[in-house]
Amino acid sequence: MNLSFYIQPVKIDTSCADLYLDINAQSLSYVVIDSNICLALAIYRFKTGSSDETIANNIHEVVAEQSILQQRFKKVHVTYGFDSFVLIPHQFMNGTDNDAMLELVYGESSERVIRTDFMYRHAIHIVYGIPKTVDNVIRRYFELAQCTHLFSMLPDFVNAEGNHLYCIFNTGQIKVVMMKDGKLQLMQNYSYDTPTDATYQLLTICKNFEVNVNSCKVHLSGMIDESSALFAELYKYFLQIQLTPLPEKFQYPEEIGQYPSHYFSHLFSTAACV
């Protein structure tokens, strides 16, 4: 586990602040916000292929070494981004087959906690699994935390008309949302080894949903650099690429300005949606 970014004053009063935790198989991030002012931010990267047990142990370590996470918060919001999820139109949702549907797609697992979110704007339910070891450790430290899945909020990141691909890059993985004429078409995690792999995935999405790449706006956030081979490969095929800025809703510490804003924009966009 590596600490990639750490922005934090020496002393912080968190009693009136909200804590936003983002947890997936690749990383753990947290943001502390009080009255729309960002007080602290940290991003940890897990080793590739970390087991659920290792991820849970990593969370224990982060809480132990980050005294701020042991303080009292007004509210705690946890956003999960694990791979196991399915989307169900409202008219087909009955709540009794959730485990069976996840097993059909991802295989049988007794070590999974199943939760659901409802996306009112799209009348779609998202049924998702959280590793039980991870859920246990979060409940141990943040018993009253409000939990949701990242994909239940991602469609709200793009409200403009037209065709949009919203992408969050992590090490070897992209979280992708396709919006066509304002309607949700796809949400999925994709793994990739090379820039060509990642570009192929996005081009295939456009082809499958009959979206012209020249008219599609591609929003990039997360760990991608403008000077990278990955960005150059994407720019060969997508002409309307935008690096997602930080939401104007919040005020940010000066240290954030030392880095490209799209590194963190998805974290604050999530906070703005809660």
Side-chain angles (χ1 to χ4, degrees):
M1 180 176 62
N2 296 315
L3 178 58
S4 299
F5 299 97
Y6 182 72
I7 299 172
Q8 189 171 128
V10 177
K11 294 183 179 180
I12 302 175
D13 179 8
T14 65
S15 59
C16 294
D18 286 359
L19 171 65
Y20 298 87
L21 282 164
D22 184 283
I23 303 171
N24 55 62
Q26 291 77 38
S27 63
L28 178 152
S29 307
Y30 72 78
V31 175
V32 178
I33 296 176
D34 185 357
S35 301
N36 290 337
I37 300 173
C38 174
L39 303 180
L41 176 148
I43 299 177
Y44 290 82
R45 304 287 173 193
F46 302 144
K47 291 183 179 179
T48 302
S50 292
S51 66
D52 296 341
E53 188 68 33
T54 298
I55 292 172
N57 289 335
N58 286 340
I59 297 172
H60 278 296
E61 291 179 22
V62 171
V63 174
E65 72 179 32
Q66 294 289 314
S67 59
I68 186 174
L69 297 181
Q70 302 166 27
Q71 299 182 34
R72 183 185 299 275
F73 294 89
K74 185 173 67 174
K75 290 183 181 179
V76 177
H77 311 269
V78 179
T79 301
Y80 288 113
F82 291 99
D83 290 350
S84 58
F85 71 92
V86 292
L87 303 178
I88 305 171
H90 181 62
Q91 63 268 31
F92 299 117
M93 180 69 177
N94 59 35
T96 60
D97 300 326
N98 294 348
D99 188 43
M101 286 185 290
L102 285 176
E103 285 186 4
L104 180 65
V105 179
Y106 298 99
E108 185 176 355
S109 174
S110 61
E111 301 301 318
R112 181 167 56 203
V113 176
I114 299 174
R115 292 205 175 93
T116 63
D117 296 339
F118 182 51
M119 293 181 283
Y120 294 92
R121 176 183 166 196
H122 304 281
I124 293 176
H125 296 262
I126 177 169
V127 177
Y128 58 99
I130 305 165
K132 186 176 291 185
T133 54
V134 173
D135 184 76
N136 288 342
V137 70
I138 290 299
R139 289 301 172 189
R140 172 181 172 179
Y141 294 116
F142 310 105
E143 183 179 4
L144 301 179
Q146 300 175 358
C147 300
T148 189
H149 197 279
L150 176 63
F151 277 123
S152 68
M153 292 183 284
L154 284 185
D156 293 331
F157 288 12
V158 181
N159 294 315
E161 296 181 356
N163 302 323
H164 300 265
L165 272 174
Y166 188 93
C167 308
I168 302 175
F169 282 86
N170 212 324
T171 304
Q173 189 181 74
I174 327 170
K175 299 183 185 299
V176 182
V177 174
M178 163 61 80
M179 303 289 292
K180 181 179 180 180
D181 298 326
K183 295 182 179 179
L184 176 63
Q185 304 296 311
L186 171 141
M187 295 194 295
Q188 190 58 268
N189 293 317
Y190 293 95
S191 298
Y192 69 93
D193 294 318
T194 67
T196 302
D197 293 338
T199 305
Y200 175 80
Q201 297 283 11
L202 299 186
L203 289 171
T204 300
I205 293 170
C206 290
K207 180 180 179 181
N208 289 343
F209 290 96
E210 299 180 344
V211 170
N212 189 317
V213 295
N214 294 326
S215 66
C216 184
K217 295 181 180 179
V218 181
H219 307 262
L220 305 180
S221 61
M223 296 297 99
I224 180 171
D225 290 313
E226 282 188 274
S227 59
S228 67
L230 174 57
F231 186 90
E233 186 69 17
L234 290 171
Y235 202 75
K236 289 180 183 178
Y237 302 94
F238 296 96
L239 303 181
Q240 300 191 57
I241 292 181
Q242 302 176 1
L243 296 172
T244 308
L246 292 166
E248 296 181 358
K249 177 179 179 178
F250 302 115
Q251 298 179 42
Y252 304 95
E254 292 183 1
E255 293 92 332
I256 283 185
Q258 299 174 12
Y259 305 97
S261 62
H262 67 276
Y263 283 5
F264 317 111
S265 57
H266 60 287
L267 300 175
F268 290 99
S269 294
T270 299
C273 289
V274 172

